């Protein structure tokens, strides 16, 4: 089933309930991410980009509509199966890194492997390899507060890649970076995409968006083009 | 996630908050320590009393007037030496019967004086009870039949009156009447809270004359063997009731005395353990509270772990392990504290204490159980957190 798209969303909505007031963050979104896609999502702040990314990353469930990730309908999955799905098929780079502050770069990167049952020795080896790949071989034992924003961003990317995911979701991966570092990170994502990993990224930067194979523009919880 | 991994994460989390972990443990440490120490004191006391009651001699039967009901008013004794003769006939062996009439008296020797428990007895006392002499000789049958004024002194009395001098052959006055010392007892120490070294034994007949009475307070019989104790007790009581139709008599064995004392001490130990258990419970509530705080504080970490693939179970197990680790480490420290406290009490105070394996096992088991019981709610709460919501919290 190599023809099966990585992610299929059909008429997906997501409504948040805030003290009885419902906020519609997504109001019917349909989207297909194929196995070798390179998609950029753009849109104004609050248009629902992060909400959509959370759904695509199996972190959240749609309020209505169907969402299939790696060929599986998330409506049929329990929390433990969702966790497994995240661990096995998704690499997620968060808008604000989300690294464990008291933990070294190497152990931060190795964390997803803990929940895959990989032994400590192999975990550390694979984490070091990944950090080397993002150009942080010299920062293995640094903690997040001992690193620059760009370095932290690359640690977060290394963590997303260490499990060898088939889809990489990155929420503003270059948002906090200067143009040179941003360029490095983009180069990394593009080389991954060339290796057959589907890449979906959110960005406010027109130039970054222009480099993707296709762009999706969001406004008020809808895809407008 | 592997179990070894979960342990590592739990230990790291406890280390990261060392002071808080220690303070949380403290409740459990004190609770377990109290359980171990108090149970040790209860057990030690019970053992000591058992040894003392058994040390009196074997197959003993104590006969006293009145019913041995808890709460029954003590009955004034109407027993006389004639009754004792009747009992000796029933038993068929004078050397198996001992009697006593006791009275607190001041004993003087020269300028020194001591307060003694004077016991009017038969010459058979050392045959019935275990009572060893240090010096001299015990009373003879002739001493008893003639009411001779001779006395055997307890070790404490002898020391108070004569110091290091040999008291044998010297004169003392008991209640103002002159007696000649013919022997002294070996040192015995305390028994059931009574100082048994302050006894002075004199012939029952001499004591009765001194006190101006015909009565005796009670008698004791040593049965030839275990099997015959109950039958003998029945026969003696029947003989006495026949002579005193208006009075009840009771014959109790050592086992019955031990049983009653054991029940009382058992209840006492239980109450102590329950009080200690409550403090353990309070410690457990503390653990629960801290774990809830910890879950709240680490919500973001939980969200991230879930985002990269931790299942609800993995997170739950991690927090449960943390709680169990806290209480079991606390439990082990508490056992050490309890054992030390028990040893100190045993060594430095007259209260005996004996640490028992079962109380250690119980305390450890309970503290682990407390960790599980009080860790479950925080662990479930952590396990159920929604990853997106958790990541959003600050
Ligand atoms: N957990 C939540 N509870 C309530 N409302 C939420 C929640 N998450 C998002 N929203 C609302 O949903 C809408 C979309 O939010 P989202 O984070 O997806 O926007 P975004 O496109 O990622 O914005 P930005 O570019 O600023 O990151 C916003 O109006 C936001 O207030
Ligand atoms: Mg966003």
């Amino acid at each position: 089933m190599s023809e099966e798209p990585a992610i299929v969303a059909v008429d997906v909505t997501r409504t948040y309930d805030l003290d009885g007031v419902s906020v519609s963050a997504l109001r019917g979104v349909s989207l297909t991410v194929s196995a070798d896609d390179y998609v950029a999502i753009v849109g104004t702040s609050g248009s629902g980009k992060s909400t959509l990314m959370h759904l695509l990353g199996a972190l959240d469930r749609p309020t209505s509509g169907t969402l299939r990730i790696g060929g599986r309908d998330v409506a049929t999955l329990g929390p433990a199966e969702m966790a497994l799905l995240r661990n096995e098929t998704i690499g997620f780079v968060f808008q604000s890194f989300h690294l464990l502050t008291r933990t070294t770069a190497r152990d931060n990167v190795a964390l997803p492997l803990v929940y895959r049952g990989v032994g400590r020795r192999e975990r550390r080896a694979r984490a070091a390899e990944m950090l080397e790949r993002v150009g942080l071989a010299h920062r293995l034992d640094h903690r997040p507060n001992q690193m620059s924003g760009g370095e932290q961003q690359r640690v977060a990317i290394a963590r997303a890649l260490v499990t060898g995911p088939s889809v990489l979701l990155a929420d503003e991966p270059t948002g906090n970076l200067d143009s040179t570092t941003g360029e490095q990170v983009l180069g990394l994502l593009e080389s991954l995409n060339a290796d057959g990993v589907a890449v979906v990224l959110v960005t406010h930067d027109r130039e970054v968006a222009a480099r993707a194979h296709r762009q999706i523009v969001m406004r008020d919880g809808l895809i407008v083009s | 996630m592997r179990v070894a991994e979960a342990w590592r994460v739990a230990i790291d989390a406890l280390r990261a908050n060392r002071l808080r972990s220690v303070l949380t443990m403290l409740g459990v440490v004190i609770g377990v320590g109290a359980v171990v120490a108090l149970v040790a004191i209860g057990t030690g006391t019970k053992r000591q009393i058992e040894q003392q009651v058994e040390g009196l001699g074997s197959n003993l039967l104590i006969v006293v007037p009145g019913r041995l009901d808890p709460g029954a008013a003590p009955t004034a004794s109407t027993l006389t030496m004639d009754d004792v003769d009747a009992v000796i006939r029933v038993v068929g062996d004078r050397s198996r019967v001992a009697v006593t009439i006791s009275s607190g008296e001041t004993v003087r020797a020269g300028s020194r004086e001591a307060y003694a428990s004077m016991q009017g007895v038969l010459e058979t006392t050392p045959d019935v009870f275990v009572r060893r002499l240090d010096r001299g000789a015990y009373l003879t049958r002739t001493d008893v039949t003639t009411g001779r004024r001779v006395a055997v002194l307890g070790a404490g009395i002898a020391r108070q009156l004569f110091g290091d001098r040999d008291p044998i052959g010297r004169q003392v006055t008991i209640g103002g009447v002159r007696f000649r010392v013919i022997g002294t007892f070996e040192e015995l120490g305390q028994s059931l809270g009574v100082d048994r070294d302050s006894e002075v034994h004199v012939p029952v007949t001499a004591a009765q004359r001194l006190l101006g009475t015909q009565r005796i307070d009670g008698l004791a019989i040593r049965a030839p063997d275990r099997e015959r104790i109950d039958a003998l007790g029945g026969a003696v009581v029947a003989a006495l009731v026949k002579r005193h139709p208006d009075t009840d008599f009771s014959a109790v064995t050592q086992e019955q005395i031990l049983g009653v004392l054991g029940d009382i001490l058992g209840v006492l130990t239980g109450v102590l353990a329950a009080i200690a258990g409550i403090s353990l419970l309070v410690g457990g509530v503390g653990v629960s509270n801290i774990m809830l705080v910890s879950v709240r504080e680490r919500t973001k970490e939980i969200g991230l772990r879930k985002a990269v693939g931790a299942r609800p179970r993995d997170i739950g197990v991690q927090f449960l392990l943390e709680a169990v680790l806290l209480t079991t480490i606390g439990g082990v420290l508490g056992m050490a504290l309890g054992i030390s406290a028990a040893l100190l009490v045993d060594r430095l105070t007259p209260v005996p204490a004996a640490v028992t394996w079962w109380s250690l096992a119980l305390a450890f088991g309970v503290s682990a159980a407390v960790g599980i019981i009080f860790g479950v709610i925080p662990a479930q709460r952590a396990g159920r957190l929604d990853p997106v919501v958790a990541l959003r919290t600050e």
Side-chain angles (χ1 to χ4, degrees):
Chain A
M1 290 273 283
S2 61
E3 300 304 307
E4 166 104 37
I7 303 171
V8 184
V10 182
D11 205 18
V12 159
T13 71
R14 180 68 172 92
T15 306
Y16 294 109
D17 207 17
L18 270 183
D19 305 320
V21 184
S22 57
V23 179
S24 284
L26 292 179
R27 299 188 292 148
V29 168
S30 297
L31 172 69
T32 300
V33 179
S34 55
D36 56 355
D37 237 338
Y38 180 11
V39 186
I41 301 178
V42 296
T44 51
S45 184
S47 56
K49 305 183 296 292
S50 292
T51 304
L52 178 60
M53 291 291 270
H54 289 152
L55 290 178
L56 300 182
L59 283 164
D60 197 7
R61 297 163 189 275
T63 308
S64 71
T66 46
L67 174 62
R68 297 174 69 81
I69 300 172
R72 307 188 65 183
D73 185 345
V74 298
T76 65
L77 303 179
E81 292 164 308
M82 291 280 273
L84 196 69
L85 186 63
R86 289 194 288 274
N87 188 262
E88 286 180 342
T89 57
I90 308 287
F92 207 112
V93 182
F94 294 94
Q95 198 165 355
S96 47
F97 318 152
H98 291 319
L99 300 175
L100 297 182
T101 49
R102 276 193 282 258
T103 309
T104 61
R106 190 209 292 255
D107 286 339
N108 260 298
V109 173
L111 191 64
L113 298 177
V114 167
Y115 298 105
R116 203 177 258 207
V118 177
R120 186 173 153 84
R121 188 181 290 269
E122 191 191 335
R123 268 193 337 246
R124 289 172 63 84
R126 277 164 70 174
E129 206 174 290
M130 226 9 123
L131 280 166
E132 198 180 325
R133 215 169 141 196
V134 298
L136 287 176
H138 58 302
R139 292 282 184 270
L140 293 185
D141 294 315
H142 285 232
R143 291 170 205 283
N145 59 5
Q146 299 165 328
M147 289 187 282
S148 73
E151 287 171 335
Q152 292 182 46
Q153 180 70 294
R154 281 183 283 163
V155 172
I157 291 172
R159 182 181 61 198
L161 296 179
V162 77
T163 52
S166 48
V167 184
L168 184 76
L169 303 168
D171 200 346
E172 300 208 37
T174 59
N176 301 287
L177 308 180
D178 64 75
S179 54
T180 329
T181 328
E183 178 57 38
Q184 280 174 4
V185 166
L186 273 185
L188 185 68
L189 296 185
E190 280 161 14
S191 78
L192 279 167
N193 181 240
D195 290 346
V197 177
V199 173
V200 180
L201 59 81
V202 169
T203 184
H204 284 293
D205 188 326
R206 284 177 192 288
E207 283 179 39
V208 171
R211 289 167 66 156
H213 299 167
R214 59 194 180 106
Q215 289 184 40
I216 286 170
V217 183
M218 291 192 67
R219 190 182 302 144
D220 285 340
L222 290 170
I223 292 178
V224 290
S225 74
Chain B
M1 184 163 60
R2 296 178 179 189
V3 177
E5 196 58 43
W7 280 109
R8 202 195 318 267
V9 173
I11 291 169
D12 282 350
L14 294 182
R15 274 223 201 106
N17 256 309
R18 230 165 275 187
L19 181 62
R20 183 207 281 172
S21 304
V22 168
L23 290 177
T24 310
M25 262 179 226
L26 209 55
V28 178
V29 171
I30 293 170
V32 169
V35 169
V36 170
L38 291 178
V39 169
I41 288 171
T43 312
T45 307
K46 192 169 169 184
R47 243 181 235 175
Q48 189 189 48
I49 288 176
E50 281 168 1
Q51 278 168 6
Q52 284 167 349
V53 171
E54 277 156 12
L56 289 175
S58 47
N59 303 333
L60 283 182
L61 197 60
I62 314 276
V63 181
V64 288
R67 267 191 192 289
L68 266 193
D69 280 340
T75 313
S77 176
T78 54
L79 291 172
T80 64
M81 282 309 287
D82 291 340
D83 296 315
V84 174
D85 289 336
V87 169
I88 289 171
R89 275 196 298 280
V90 171
V91 175
D93 182 353
R94 181 179 168 93
S95 73
R96 294 191 176 280
V97 180
V99 308
T100 179
I101 172 168
S102 62
S103 165
E105 300 291 343
T106 304
V107 186
R108 289 201 175 76
S111 60
R112 301 209 200 187
E113 62 175 56
Y115 188 72
S117 159
M118 181 190 70
Q119 307 276 330
V121 295
L122 297 180
E123 78 287 352
T124 53
T125 302
D127 302 322
V128 177
F129 298 105
V130 176
R131 221 48 224 271
R132 286 190 199 84
L133 288 183
D134 183 34
R135 296 179 182 188
Y138 200 68
L139 312 173
T140 64
R141 185 162 181 179
T142 321
D143 294 336
V144 173
T145 46
T146 58
R148 197 174 285 159
R149 294 200 302 275
V150 289
V152 179
L153 305 186
I157 299 292
R159 200 179 315 110
Q160 284 176 60
L161 294 182
F162 297 101
D164 293 333
R165 290 176 297 149
D166 186 354
I168 307 297
R170 294 180 187 274
Q171 298 286 335
V172 295
T173 62
I174 302 174
V177 178
R178 292 161 72 91
F179 280 77
R180 185 167 51 87
V181 179
I182 58 168
T184 61
F185 286 117
E186 260 184 13
E187 186 144 359
L188 276 174
Q190 298 252 322
S191 174
L192 308 179
V194 178
D195 177 9
R196 298 188 61 207
D197 292 323
S198 67
E199 285 181 4
V200 170
H201 287 203
V202 300
V204 60
T205 40
Q208 283 176 332
R209 201 176 328 134
L210 183 75
L211 298 173
T213 178
Q214 296 293 309
R215 81 183 150 91
I216 61 159
D217 290 336
L219 36 86
I221 297 153
R222 190 160 63 80
D225 53 55
R226 244 187 140 71
E227 285 66 41
R228 262 176 279 180
I229 291 183
D230 287 338
L232 196 57
V236 168
V237 168
L240 290 174
V241 168
K242 202 165 151 197
R243 297 173 57 87
H244 300 269
D246 302 334
T247 316
D248 282 321
F249 292 91
S250 312
V252 290
T253 62
Q254 277 159 300
E255 266 120 60
Q256 287 168 322
I257 295 174
L258 280 181
V260 172
L261 289 173
D263 287 351
I264 294 170
L265 285 168
V267 169
L268 208 68
T269 307
V271 169
L272 290 179
I275 291 171
I278 288 170
S279 75
L280 191 55
L281 199 72
V282 173
V285 174
V287 170
S288 193
N289 194 14
I290 291 294
M291 291 310 296
L292 284 174
V293 171
S294 178
V295 168
R296 173 159 299 190
E297 242 177 31
R298 282 152 62 199
T299 301
K300 206 165 173 172
E301 177 193 328
I302 294 166
L304 178 77
R305 286 178 181 276
K306 287 194 144 185
V308 300
R311 292 165 299 169
R313 243 193 67 205
D314 295 324
I315 300 293
V317 165
Q318 181 192 324
F319 277 86
L320 199 57
L321 276 183
E322 258 183 71
V324 171
L325 211 56
L326 269 178
T327 59
T328 48
I329 293 174
V332 170
L333 293 178
M335 290 198 288
L337 180 77
I339 293 171
S340 321
L343 290 179
L344 280 181
V345 164
D346 195 51
R347 204 147 299 168
L348 303 181
T349 74
V351 179
V355 176
T356 48
W357 287 111
W358 67 262
S359 76
L360 291 182
L362 183 77
F364 186 82
V366 168
S367 56
V370 162
I372 293 173
I373 292 164
F374 288 95
V376 157
I377 291 172
Q380 276 183 346
R381 184 169 287 194
R384 282 206 207 107
L385 279 175
D386 179 83
V388 175
V389 174
L391 279 172
R392 215 176 260 275
T393 55
E394 277 315 315

